[in-house]
Amino acid sequence: MNYRDTHLVNVFEAHRSEWAHFGRTQAWWSVLTNDRWKGMKDIPSVYKDEFYKSSRAEQADLSDRLSEFPPNKRERALDFGSGVGRLSVMLHQKMGYTHVIGVDQSVWHARTEMERLNLQNHVEFLVSGPNLMETLGGVKFDLVISMIALQHMVPPLMVVYIEQFCDVLEFGGYGYFQVPTKLVADYSQFKCSFEWSIQEGGMQVWYLESDQIQHIFQRRGCHVLKQYEMDAIGIPHSKSKLFFFSKTRMAQ
């Protein structure tokens, strides 16, 4: 996939503009759509505690996977679509990764909590375009994680990033991400159209079929260890899957 394809860049910039707006106006709600903090630029400390504790579900599930497939080491982890650091903080404080890089398309999300968290020596936030590898400067990771982030991108952008999840993994490293694999037929955004996405704006939800994801893994030298359905999109009769995979060889 050409990361500099004009159509791809244009739709990414439209996405980035929307999420920058969310980051400036209601960063917390845009990550976890809880009505109690909808429309709030900042939220009370008690809500922030609840927000960060919400990562316990991912922590428990990821811990189970890593107990079943023990990693070689827990040094560098990448949190893609990091928002205000909900999972980035968990990866360092609870999972024991020495250095965590959170990547988001919105600088406003990253700025929201960086100073308050005071984890600069262990958690770093970067802003990236479609060329994730360029942003990361060749750094390889022991773990790549992405939750409730890819679903807001048109499918060709999902493909671009899933390819690079494989590319930035160390051999023997693990990936863990969620993505919708089916949306109900009457849900208007099932049609993949760059033009429609740019014109519609707002918070969109898209999907990528499981077979397409498997083909990406085959091309990029990764192997699925576990995949299972989960409820993460809140759209009835739709499907969302979590993929846990490892890097086993060079890309084809």
Side-chain angles (χ1 to χ4, degrees), residues 11-28:
V11 76
F12 172 82
E13 290 300 333
H15 285 197
R16 189 209 294 269
S17 176
E18 293 290 345
W19 284 89
H21 173 71
F22 286 134
R24 288 192 300 268
T25 60
Q26 47 185 343
W28 306 90

Side-chain angles (χ1 to χ4, degrees), residues 58-59 62 77-82 87-88 90-91 100-101 143-147 165 169 174-178:
E58 289 91 345
Q59 177 189 342
L62 181 56
L78 174 66
D79 174 17
F80 176 82
S82 54
L87 299 181
S88 303
M90 177 272 289
L91 288 171
V100 179
I101 294 181
L143 176 72
V144 174
I145 184 172
S146 181
M147 297 293 292
F165 291 172
L169 272 181
Y174 294 121
Y176 178 94
F177 70 85
Q178 164 272 337

Side-chain angles (χ1 to χ4, degrees), residues 115-133:
E115 291 183 5
R116 189 186 76 86
L117 291 171
N118 195 28
L119 295 169
Q120 290 94 333
N121 292 331
H122 300 286
V123 180
E124 176 184 3
F125 293 102
L126 301 176
V127 178
S128 177
N131 194 338
L132 179 62
M133 295 184 66

Side-chain angles (χ1 to χ4, degrees), residues 103-156:
V103 169
D104 204 278
Q105 60 186 346
S106 165
V107 67
W108 296 96
H109 283 79
R111 285 176 178 172
T112 298
E113 282 294 274
M114 191 180 303
E115 291 183 5
R116 189 186 76 86
L117 291 171
N118 195 28
L119 295 169
Q120 290 94 333
N121 292 331
H122 300 286
V123 180
E124 176 184 3
F125 293 102
L126 301 176
V127 178
S128 177
N131 194 338
L132 179 62
M133 295 184 66
E134 183 177 71
T135 299
L136 297 172
V139 174
K140 298 283 186 175
F141 296 85
D142 306 306
L143 176 72
V144 174
I145 184 172
S146 181
M147 297 293 292
I148 54 174
L150 291 168
Q151 65 190 39
H152 299 303
M153 302 177 179
V154 293

Side-chain angles (χ1 to χ4, degrees), residues 6-233:
T6 301
H7 299 295
L8 193 72
V9 171
N10 287 344
V11 76
F12 172 82
E13 290 300 333
H15 285 197
R16 189 209 294 269
S17 176
E18 293 290 345
W19 284 89
H21 173 71
F22 286 134
R24 288 192 300 268
T25 60
Q26 47 185 343
W28 306 90
W29 176 84
S30 69
V31 176
L32 288 182
T33 52
N34 188 315
D35 286 343
R36 283 178 295 167
W37 48 68
K38 185 173 183 179
M40 299 173 66
K41 185 173 183 179
D42 198 11
I43 60 177
S45 295
V46 64
Y47 285 171
K48 289 180 181 179
D49 291 341
E50 178 183 343
F51 179 91
Y52 286 106
K53 286 178 180 177
S54 71
S55 66
R56 288 174 176 172
E58 289 91 345
Q59 177 189 342
D61 190 65
L62 181 56
S63 294
D64 287 345
R65 302 289 78 78
L66 296 181
S67 294
E68 188 175 359
F69 302 95
N72 296 325
K73 58 186 187 302
R74 297 193 187 194
E75 292 181 4
R76 291 185 297 274
L78 174 66
D79 174 17
F80 176 82
S82 54
V84 293
R86 187 178 72 95
L87 299 181
S88 303
V89 174
M90 177 272 289
L91 288 171
H92 170 61
Q93 292 185 337
K94 305 297 183 181
M95 300 294 295
Y97 283 87
T98 307
H99 186 70
V100 179
I101 294 181
V103 169
D104 204 278
Q105 60 186 346
S106 165
V107 67
W108 296 96
H109 283 79
R111 285 176 178 172
T112 298
E113 282 294 274
M114 191 180 303
E115 291 183 5
R116 189 186 76 86
L117 291 171
N118 195 28
L119 295 169
Q120 290 94 333
N121 292 331
H122 300 286
V123 180
E124 176 184 3
F125 293 102
L126 301 176
V127 178
S128 177
N131 194 338
L132 179 62
M133 295 184 66
E134 183 177 71
T135 299
L136 297 172
V139 174
K140 298 283 186 175
F141 296 85
D142 306 306
L143 176 72
V144 174
I145 184 172
S146 181
M147 297 293 292
I148 54 174
L150 291 168
Q151 65 190 39
H152 299 303
M153 302 177 179
V154 293
L157 271 175
M158 292 190 205
V159 171
V160 160
Y161 285 118
I162 295 171
E163 287 179 344
Q164 292 178 94
F165 291 172
C166 291
D167 294 344
V168 302
L169 272 181
E170 296 271 16
F171 285 109
Y174 294 121
Y176 178 94
F177 70 85
Q178 164 272 337
V179 66
T181 54
K182 179 183 178 181
L183 295 180
V184 289
D186 61 351
Y187 192 69
S188 63
Q189 291 165 202
F190 78 99
K191 298 177 181 178
C192 178
S193 164
F194 284 176
E195 292 78 13
W196 183 92
S197 178
I198 291 171
Q199 291 173 9
E200 182 70 9
M203 185 181 291
Q204 302 172 15
V205 178
W206 299 85
Y207 77 99
L208 194 64
E209 293 179 346
S210 294
D211 288 348
Q212 292 179 270
I213 297 170
Q214 293 284 5
H215 290 153
I216 295 171
F217 286 144
Q218 291 171 7
R219 295 195 308 268
R220 312 307 282 199
C222 287
H223 173 69
V224 176
L225 300 170
K226 296 278 185 179
Q227 59 175 305
Y228 41 94
E229 290 187 13
M230 61 178 297
D231 181 16
I233 52 179

